[in-house]
Amino acid sequence: GNFCGGFLLGWLTDLMNGRRTPICMLSIVVGSAVSFLLFSLYKDVTFILLCSCLAVMGLTLGGLFHMLSIACPLDIGAGMQEKGLKGTATVVGIVDAFGSFGSSLGQLVVGYCVDTYGWRYGYLLILCLSSAVIMLPLCWPFVREVREIRGKSD
């Protein structure tokens, strides 16, 4: 799912004239919904359901990771080059470094939560925090881009 997710989300973004935010929000909502479904049914999950849910999560969340960690920093770097500034590789490196730092910090927090409260709440912590951390910064651009899309269709 992860491999195909990058292609799928990129294609959907192209259909939206390069507007990534609505596609990112849709991807987060679908991926989080599937994750919460697995969380709520974790004792009764069949092998087929698990494989299907993991494929959907790979399509949505894996593709989103590639979009946010590769395409968006390149857009920022391209904007810098238009202004006469250099540093596309620096921007990509900074975004990657913060992603790695957040990932390592997350491992500490999740490990503590799992040791203290158990795996069920450790998984719930990952779901809630990752959804919130990704969705909150996208809320304002999402509203702005949806308004722009509606304005063009009227």
Side-chain angles (χ1 to χ4, degrees):
N2 191 1
F3 175 76
C4 297
F7 291 115
L8 176 67
L9 294 182
W11 178 69
L12 290 173
T13 299
D14 289 341
L15 289 178
M16 298 286 294
N17 296 324
R19 302 209 182 268
R20 287 190 189 96
T21 310
I23 303 302
C24 289
M25 291 294 277
L26 176 67
S27 177
I28 293 167
V29 168
V30 170
S32 296
V34 171
S35 297
F36 280 111
L37 174 72
L38 280 178
F39 173 75
S40 63
L41 300 174
Y42 81 101
K43 288 185 179 181
D44 301 322
V45 174
T46 64
F47 181 73
I48 301 293
L49 178 63
L50 179 64
C51 290
S52 301
C53 288
L54 290 176
V56 170
M57 288 169 58
L59 275 170
T60 57
L61 301 178
L64 177 66
F65 168 77
H66 294 298
M67 187 181 300
L68 292 177
S69 65
I70 297 169
C72 292
L74 287 175
D75 286 347
I76 295 169
M80 290 173 57
Q81 284 182 340
E82 288 175 5
K83 295 178 183 176
L85 303 171
K86 295 181 181 178
T88 302
T90 304
V91 171
V92 173
I94 289 170
V95 169
D96 186 49
F98 275 101
S100 297
F101 175 73
S103 177
S104 62
L105 184 64
Q107 295 299 317
L108 292 172
V109 172
V110 170
Y112 173 77
C113 183
V114 166
D115 287 344
T116 306
Y117 303 106
W119 278 104
R120 181 170 173 82
Y121 293 103
Y123 187 66
L124 183 61
L125 176 71
I126 293 169
L127 288 174
C128 293
L129 285 180
S130 61
S131 297
V133 165
I134 293 173
M135 286 181 81
L136 286 176
L138 292 174
C139 286
W140 175 246
F142 174 74
V143 170
R144 185 185 69 234
E145 288 185 11
V146 168
R147 285 183 182 159
E148 288 175 7
I149 292 168
R150 281 187 177 172
K152 288 181 180 179
S153 66
D154 290 341

